[in-house]
Amino acid sequence: MKKANLPLSGIFTAAMLFLLVILPFTKNGFSQTEKPALKTEIYKLDNGLTIYLNEDPSLPNIFGAVVVKGGSKRDPSEATGIAHYFEHIMFKGTDQIGTLDFATEKVYLDSIAALYDELADASEEADKLNMQREINRLSIKAAEYAIPNEIEKILGEMGCAYLNAGTGNDGIAYFNVLPANQVEKWLEIYSHRFINPVYRLFQSELETVYEEYNMYSDNRFATAFEEFTAAFYPDHPYGVPILGYPNHLKYPSMKKMHEYFETYYVANNMALVLSGNFDTDAIKPLISNYFGRWKSGKIPEKPSAWKIEPFEGRQFVEQKLTPVKFGIRAYRSVPQNSKESVVLNIVNALMSNESQTGLLDELVMNNKLMMAQMISDRRTDAGGEYILFVPKVVGQSLKKAEDLIGNKLNDLKAGNFDESLLEAIKTEIIVNYQRNFEDQFNRGYMMITTFMTESEWEDMIDYPNKVKQITKADVLAAANNWFGENYLAFHSKTGLPKKPQQLKPPFENIPAKNTGEKSAYAKMIEEMEVPLSVPQFIEFGSPQQKTKDVTVTDITSLTHLFHVENKVNDLFDISIDYGIGTYEMPILNQVAEYMYLVGPEGLSFGEFKKELQSLGGSLSFYASKNDFTVEISGPKENTKQILDLAAKLLDKPDIDQEKIKNLYESAKTSDKINKKDPETLGYALYSFAVFGDNSQFLKDLTAKEIKSLQASQLTDALKTAMTFETAIHYSGTHAAEDVASILADHLNFKQIKQKSKSPVRNVYRDFSEPMVFFLDDKNAIQSKDYFFIKGDKVTESDKPLLNAYYEYLDGGMSSVMFQEIREFRSLAYATGASVYEPFYPDEETTLTSFVGTQADKTQEAIQVMHQIITNPPDQSDRIDMLRRALVQSINSKKPPFRQISYPVAQWTKQGYNSDPRKEWVKKYDSMSFEDIVNFHKNQFYQQPVITTIIGNKKRIGIEWMNDFGKVTEVRMQDIFR
């Protein structure tokens, strides 16, 4: 499917941001290097703004971010969710961005703000209802002067990509990637947007946050973790949900929101982060000019009421929240910037690590537990070390599972682990550290984390040296100090949480207006001069062409090597993609899982993994619809030893029938989770409706079938997969010729004799009329709704129009789908679309869209989505923006070096000998809006729409669905095997 190539998508909350940022840091750490691209200059402006500059001239783009310390922990206790609300408001513009006439608009906005503050204090429901109606009336009037999402439009036309933001407990970050030549414009916009933000179109964003709340409430494990956090931090705002409590979400105070902005959005509490292609000396005066105008402020002390008391003994909490039993044993630890973080990272890795050599990993490998993992959650004020565990589905209680965890902790504290394991883990941590600095995204995120958690960059750079110095005595001291008898035991038994309060105010939709207008500020930005820049396409060719991004070599007629030079560090990655996947061989799912559980013949799993880990190597297996993939990585100096180990496993994996029990337990657990998860149910229903018996959910092996497997069937399936045409992606410092030779010495390419079956040709069900497929899920809060239209074949000249139509439909916050579904009607937090770019010349394109919405909004959401995807594009004023966005974003979306060979592999397989976007750009420059309209008409207009809906039938109703096609009610057993 054609999708936005986003590392992060949508405005998201901190739970997602911090999983990407903080958890990799706390678990894996970082690595020192002398490569110039990793030098970072840190300084402060006179107003106190902290600047992080990481110059890397090898890139065509820049990662840019503005960071605010504070986050949700600084929300007033009587108005939780303020920080997150304000993050959304920051996309609504300023007194100059997003307005046609701010003086007139402000009259209405001031009245709306006053009413919201009255609403927050009101006690009578009748008074609240009247205020909401008046807010709605004034909001509709104010919208006559607003230009929705103008910030995104301005940045989009500049070619910026990945525009996003995240709110966490300790901070808020606003970021995107920009073409290098647009940096001065970006500095002007990002400095301006934080000076006088305006709370316009607040009603629609209020309802969007409600839908975000509903979306997370449908995730049973997210709800459980929220309950756990409240128990772990009962007297600290870390225990309060980032989105806030429902009663505060319903009636937010704009006055308190403004106070939050005035208090914490000040220069001496903020940072600017830039990583990428800029000249440090040249950019400093620009930063001073634009960001020097920010004001400073006095940051309040932490309230004395914030307390983090030690646990006394085993504090036990038990609830019924999740589809399967799970537990957390949680210990208090240290803040992120503590010196003890280093040794605790090693302690945790001794318990569980990615090589599966930890003490907890043994329980999983030996089928004693379904899952057990150590997780660090260290924040600015405090930290926790959590052991997550899942008992076996049948016959094992949470108490027995926790006892096994306790026994392993005792082994750790007694030093019952080998010294060689400690050294291997230290090597793994240092290698993983290096990866965190490989591209501008990760480096940018690391600087964000450093500022939010009040850490020192020098400590991060010196991290490997600190890791090397840790001894077994240090580990034992830390383990015995922090993992004692005082902890929280949180158990979630099988069950459902109490249904959350429904949030839906009595608002009339704000009509779509001024979508094609531009403010005076936007016109000023448009007229700013920028240095000339040409799109930097992906260049590929033979190894003799030394300047190429990717070199392509045929090792054999069915073995293709795609080589990328690593200019950042000495780590290599090898990804071997065998051209057959689970569509043709469903058993490959179990093969991939099995290969994580065994070693080669003659070498135990533990011995094999420890040897690989001691070399800094890793070996992973993945099965997808199209491919079976083996990934190998490690330091350059150990390349041959790591490949020796990988080759032994691939050639003769141990045949261990006991591991089938692990696969069976895993399948039973997945079944229970999937059939209670609305997201999975929604996609399974869509797959059934569109692909019928070819749905992957109907091809997967059942738990019963897995239980009856023989281990030899899995090793035989592996050998079969390895006979298919292969694409090998290498990124490292060896020359392409050397890589081909090294691989030939270790891997048996002679066995590769079958042409690739990847990618799979999509076989869709035939529909002659519109259809609606409905699955009743009594426990769902939202409905999950998919829409599908099959198009026709796509010619080469059509492909740029396909991209343009997708950009029009769902190319960001200024897209038609975002505007109509989210901005004007507030029908959903999550909505989107994809347009499939056919791989084969005789294959059809398809249009798929999605909306997740509160049950009682389902009918309206489906009606609006049908209007968007069935009617030809009609907003012709977007054509200039579409042209500029498609061309300018080529540089900002250029993949990091580890990923850059993957599009090349697809292009060469399709017969391209150069980046096809070189030709597409010519079409972008000349295309008219009528071309996009005609593409839609030729592909999707008046074609039957297939609609799939899962949700609570009592809340949604069903009779109205007949308006959108013939209705078929589907059962759970229809969509899963």
Side-chain angles (χ1 to χ4, degrees):
M1 289 184 176
K2 179 75 177 176
K3 294 183 179 178
N5 182 24
L6 299 180
L8 307 162
S9 62
I11 300 175
F12 63 99
T13 57
M16 302 169 79
L17 175 68
F18 283 81
L19 283 175
L20 287 168
V21 179
I22 291 179
L23 291 184
F25 164 61
T26 56
K27 182 179 177 183
N28 296 331
F30 312 98
S31 166
Q32 190 172 17
T33 176
E34 296 302 319
K35 300 286 184 180
L38 303 188
K39 290 182 178 177
T40 300
E41 182 171 347
I42 305 168
Y43 66 99
K44 288 188 178 183
L45 299 184
D46 291 342
N47 58 9
L49 180 69
T50 303
I51 312 294
Y52 293 81
L53 298 180
N54 170 237
E55 181 181 336
D56 186 351
S58 68
L59 302 168
N61 52 38
I62 300 168
F63 174 94
V66 167
V67 194
V68 187
K69 273 194 287 193
S72 64
K73 74 181 180 186
R74 292 291 191 172
D75 287 342
S77 59
E78 73 282 5
T80 60
I82 289 295
H84 175 252
Y85 260 134
F86 194 79
E87 172 220 310
H88 282 246
I89 288 301
M90 279 301 304
F91 287 85
K92 299 304 179 185
T94 68
D95 56 343
Q96 296 179 50
I97 301 176
T99 185
L100 292 173
D101 179 357
F102 183 65
T104 305
E105 182 190 21
K106 188 175 185 298
V107 174
Y108 294 103
L109 295 178
D110 288 346
S111 298
I112 292 168
L115 280 169
Y116 268 114
D117 289 329
E118 289 182 37
L119 180 64
D121 295 332
S123 56
E124 298 295 327
E125 288 301 319
D127 292 339
K128 291 179 180 179
L129 185 61
N130 289 332
M131 289 178 194
Q132 286 177 315
R133 286 173 176 160
E134 180 62 9
I135 287 171
N136 186 214
R137 184 188 72 80
L138 292 169
S139 296
I140 291 171
K141 289 294 294 181
E144 295 178 7
Y145 306 95
I147 305 173
N149 293 114
E150 189 171 44
I151 284 179
E152 201 277 344
K153 292 177 187 176
I154 294 170
L155 293 169
E157 289 191 38
M158 289 162 49
C160 296
Y162 318 136
L163 177 64
N164 223 313
T167 301
N169 295 112
D170 292 312
I172 310 108
Y174 302 84
F175 52 91
N176 68 272
V177 177
L178 56 140
N181 68 315
Q182 298 281 356
V183 67
E184 183 169 4
K185 280 189 179 183
W186 187 91
L187 293 172
E188 155 59 34
I189 294 163
Y190 263 69
S191 60
H192 170 79
R193 68 182 292 205
F194 289 91
I195 293 174
N196 190 19
V198 171
Y199 303 51
R200 65 171 55 88
L201 300 174
F202 183 72
Q203 172 194 310
S204 60
E205 210 56 43
L206 178 72
E207 290 191 77
T208 296
V209 173
Y210 292 173
E211 287 301 332
E212 186 176 1
Y213 167 83
N214 291 333
M215 180 181 71
Y216 289 121
S217 297
D218 254 338
N219 185 315
R220 312 304 182 203
F221 288 97
T223 300
F225 197 77
E226 190 175 288
E227 293 291 331
F228 159 76
T229 306
F232 193 76
Y233 290 112
D235 301 312
H236 191 284
Y238 282 163
V240 177
I242 291 170
L243 266 65
Y245 293 125
N247 57 317
H248 297 161
L249 286 177
K250 288 174 67 176
Y251 310 116
S253 166
M254 281 197 173
K255 178 183 177 182
K256 288 184 170 61
M257 207 174 298
H258 187 69
E259 288 172 353
Y260 188 101
F261 170 73
E262 289 292 325
T263 303
Y264 298 109
Y265 281 70
V266 288
N268 51 317
N269 196 49
M270 300 175 72
L272 170 68
V273 171
L274 295 174
S275 176
N277 188 352
F278 55 83
D279 181 293
T280 299
D281 292 334
I283 206 169
K284 281 184 172 182
L286 296 177
I287 292 171
S288 297
N289 181 45
Y290 291 113
F291 287 85
R293 53 190 176 178
W294 284 7
K295 66 179 182 180
S296 299
K298 181 176 174 54
I299 311 304
E301 297 292 328
K302 294 174 185 176
S304 58
W306 292 2
K307 294 180 180 178
I308 301 177
E309 302 288 353
F311 296 114
E312 295 183 6
R314 179 178 183 264
Q315 183 170 320
F316 181 58
V317 175
E318 183 178 68
Q319 298 189 40
K320 294 182 178 181
L321 300 170
T322 45
V324 296
K325 296 174 290 187
F326 97 103
I328 305 175
R329 183 184 272 200
Y331 294 84
R332 298 231 183 274
S333 67
V334 298
Q336 176 63 59
N337 57 15
S338 168
K339 295 184 183 301
E340 288 198 68
S341 283
V342 181
V343 67
L344 278 171
N345 289 343
I346 295 173
V347 169
N348 290 350
L350 282 163
M351 293 296 286
S352 69
N353 57 70
E354 65 181 46
S355 295
Q356 301 164 294
T357 60
L359 301 178
L360 293 176
D361 297 323
E362 291 176 5
L363 295 174
V364 178
M365 294 301 109
N366 295 326
N367 200 30
K368 302 295 184 183
L369 285 177
M370 187 63 247
M371 187 274 280
Q373 184 176 2
M374 196 89 180
I375 293 179
S376 295
D377 179 19
R378 301 188 205 121
R379 311 182 187 188
T380 304
D381 298 343
E385 312 301 315
Y386 312 150
I387 303 175
L388 280 68
F389 59 93
V390 178
K392 292 195 286 187
V393 174
V394 178
Q396 189 176 45
S397 68
L398 282 160
K399 181 64 172 65
K400 288 180 179 178
E402 191 184 338
D403 287 344
L404 292 174
I405 297 293
N407 291 338
K408 288 299 181 182
L409 275 173
N410 290 335
D411 285 344
L412 172 74
K413 292 189 286 186
N416 295 334
F417 57 88
D418 194 88
E419 189 88 35
S420 63
L421 175 60
L422 173 60
E423 293 306 312
I425 282 170
K426 287 160 66 174
T427 298
E428 180 179 87
I429 287 175
I430 291 170
V431 167
N432 285 337
Y433 161 91
Q434 290 181 287
R435 292 187 179 276
N436 284 320
F437 285 87
E438 283 189 345
D439 60 60
Q440 71 274 37
F441 301 104
N442 283 328
R443 296 198 291 267
Y445 295 156
M446 295 319 308
M447 289 179 254
I448 290 172
T449 304
T450 302
F451 182 74
M452 280 187 183
T453 59
E454 300 177 359
S455 303
E456 294 296 330
W457 189 251
E458 291 77 9
D459 289 339
M460 293 193 176
I461 296 301
D462 195 41
Y463 189 85
N465 292 328
K466 294 178 180 179
V467 169
K468 291 174 185 176
Q469 293 168 12
I470 299 297
T471 65
K472 187 170 183 178
D474 297 327
V475 168
L476 295 181
N480 283 278
N481 182 44
W482 293 105
F483 298 96
E485 300 303 315
N486 303 317
Y487 58 87
L488 169 67
F490 182 90
H491 290 185
S492 172
K493 301 178 78 173
T494 304
L496 293 172
K498 181 181 177 182
K499 283 189 171 58
Q501 181 179 352
Q502 292 294 295
L503 302 177
K504 187 187 177 191
F507 287 160
E508 179 184 336
N509 291 332
I510 296 176
K513 293 191 176 183
N514 307 321
T515 56
E517 299 290 342
K518 286 188 177 183
S519 66
Y521 183 91
K523 293 173 184 176
M524 180 272 291
I525 290 291
E526 208 170 68
E527 293 169 2
M528 283 180 68
E529 292 187 9
V530 297
L532 290 176
S533 176
V534 295
Q536 292 192 26
F537 300 105
I538 300 175
E539 300 294 341
F540 58 94
S542 68
Q544 289 72 36
Q545 298 169 296
K546 300 295 185 182
T547 60
K548 301 298 182 183
D549 296 307
V550 183
T551 60
V552 184
T553 306
D554 284 345
I555 299 176
T556 73
S557 62
L558 294 176
T559 309
H560 316 290
L561 173 63
F562 300 88
H563 176 278
V564 178
E565 183 183 359
N566 177 357
K567 299 177 181 178
V568 180
N569 55 41
D570 292 327
L571 300 179
F572 75 86
D573 275 2
I574 298 171
S575 178
I576 308 171
D577 294 341
Y578 295 100
I580 190 166
T582 57
Y583 184 86
E584 298 283 347
M585 294 178 65
I587 196 174
L588 290 177
N589 278 320
Q590 283 65 51
V591 172
E593 192 172 356
Y594 177 80
M595 294 300 288
Y596 275 105
L597 301 173
V598 298
E601 281 187 10
L603 196 62
S604 73
F605 172 83
E607 292 169 334
F608 171 73
K609 283 292 190 175
K610 285 177 185 176
E611 188 172 345
L612 188 64
Q613 189 179 40
S614 68
L615 295 167
S618 69
L619 180 60
S620 305
F621 299 86
Y622 305 96
S624 70
K625 178 180 178 179
N626 293 313
D627 303 288
F628 184 79
T629 300
V630 180
E631 290 188 355
I632 309 166
S633 65
K636 177 184 178 179
E637 64 268 21
N638 296 334
T639 302
K640 291 184 179 180
Q641 298 98 306
I642 292 169
L643 283 174
D644 279 338
L645 287 170
K648 287 178 182 177
L649 181 63
L650 292 171
D651 185 45
K652 288 187 177 181
D654 191 22
I655 299 176
D656 186 349
Q657 191 62 30
E658 283 296 305
K659 298 307 180 189
I660 301 299
K661 295 178 182 178
N662 295 61
L663 305 187
Y664 174 59
E665 289 286 341
S666 175
K668 287 195 299 181
T669 302
S670 294
D671 283 349
K672 292 196 74 171
I673 292 173
N674 289 341
K675 291 174 182 177
K676 297 290 185 181
D677 177 45
E679 296 286 349
T680 304
L681 289 175
Y683 190 67
L685 177 61
Y686 163 83
S687 297
F688 167 76
V690 172
F691 298 108
D693 292 341
N694 289 313
S695 165
Q696 196 65 49
F697 293 92
L698 295 176
K699 283 178 165 288
D700 289 341
L701 273 62
T702 65
K704 185 177 180 181
E705 289 170 331
I706 292 169
K707 187 177 183 180
S708 65
L709 284 173
Q710 296 297 308
S712 58
Q713 290 177 265
L714 299 174
T715 58
D716 288 344
L718 172 67
K719 291 176 182 177
T720 299
M722 292 169 62
T723 65
F724 280 85
E725 186 173 4
T726 304
I728 302 176
H729 299 267
Y730 172 89
S731 53
T733 57
H734 280 107
E737 298 85 352
D738 295 336
V739 173
S741 174
I742 293 169
L743 290 173
D745 288 342
H746 292 85
L747 302 175
N748 183 7
F749 296 136
K750 292 180 181 179
Q751 68 185 344
I752 300 174
K753 297 179 179 179
Q754 302 189 66
K755 290 284 290 181
S756 173
K757 294 193 175 184
S758 170
V760 171
R761 288 178 181 271
N762 290 307
V763 180
Y764 308 107
R765 293 171 70 174
D766 288 326
F767 294 101
S768 58
E769 61 178 330
M771 297 281 291
V772 177
F773 294 84
F774 176 69
L775 175 69
D776 185 15
D777 181 0
K778 295 179 175 59
N779 297 310
I781 296 163
Q782 289 191 316
S783 66
K784 311 294 182 183
D785 314 311
Y786 282 87
F787 310 84
F788 173 83
I789 306 176
K790 187 172 80 168
D792 206 340
K793 297 179 182 64
V794 175
T795 65
E796 191 62 30
S797 62
D798 283 336
K799 289 183 179 180
L801 298 176
L802 181 152
N803 294 326
Y805 176 63
Y806 168 72
E807 186 73 20
Y808 170 86
L809 197 65
D810 187 33
M813 294 180 193
S814 61
S815 68
V816 170
M817 193 163 291
F818 189 96
Q819 293 285 322
E820 296 294 331
I821 297 286
R822 180 165 161 170
E823 184 72 13
F824 297 129
R825 294 177 175 84
S826 306
L827 293 172
Y829 174 77
T831 186
S834 61
V835 182
Y836 176 63
E837 184 183 305
F839 183 86
Y840 301 102
D842 58 349
E843 192 180 9
E844 299 94 350
T845 184
T846 60
L847 167 59
T848 300
S849 58
F850 167 80
V851 62
T853 188
Q854 192 166 298
D856 55 3
K857 295 181 181 180
T858 301
Q859 182 176 357
E860 182 184 0
I862 287 175
Q863 182 178 6
V864 174
M865 185 64 80
H866 270 255
Q867 290 172 353
I868 293 171
I869 63 177
T870 60
N871 293 328
D874 62 356
Q875 297 186 23
S876 59
D877 50 23
R878 294 174 180 265
I879 185 62
D880 289 337
M881 182 180 70
L882 289 172
R883 284 198 201 102
R884 282 192 283 266
L886 287 164
V887 176
Q888 294 281 343
S889 64
I890 288 173
N891 286 352
S892 56
K893 291 182 178 179
K894 190 169 185 178
F897 75 91
R898 295 285 189 197
Q899 285 82 51
I900 202 167
S901 62
Y902 291 92
V904 173
Q906 176 166 304
W907 292 334
T908 56
K909 197 169 186 179
Q910 289 178 295
Y912 294 109
N913 55 22
S914 66
D915 188 334
R917 296 175 301 170
K918 293 178 180 178
E919 295 301 317
W920 298 352
V921 163
K922 298 175 185 177
K923 183 70 173 181
Y924 296 151
D925 289 337
S926 63
M927 73 179 177
S928 65
F929 193 77
E930 192 64 26
D931 291 330
I932 301 173
V933 172
N934 288 335
F935 174 83
H936 176 272
K937 286 182 177 179
N938 293 336
Q939 293 291 346
F940 305 121
Y941 187 56
Q942 295 185 335
Q943 297 299 314
V945 180
I946 310 308
T947 305
T948 68
I949 307 166
I950 73 111
N952 187 320
K953 187 176 181 178
K954 288 184 178 179
R955 293 183 181 179
I956 293 175
I958 195 168
E959 292 301 323
W960 58 267
M961 295 180 190
N962 290 295
D963 294 341
F964 299 98
K966 181 181 176 182
V967 178
T968 300
E969 291 198 59
V970 179
R971 302 166 302 168
M972 191 81 71
Q973 56 264 40
D974 295 327
I975 63 175
F976 292 107
R977 286 192 70 213

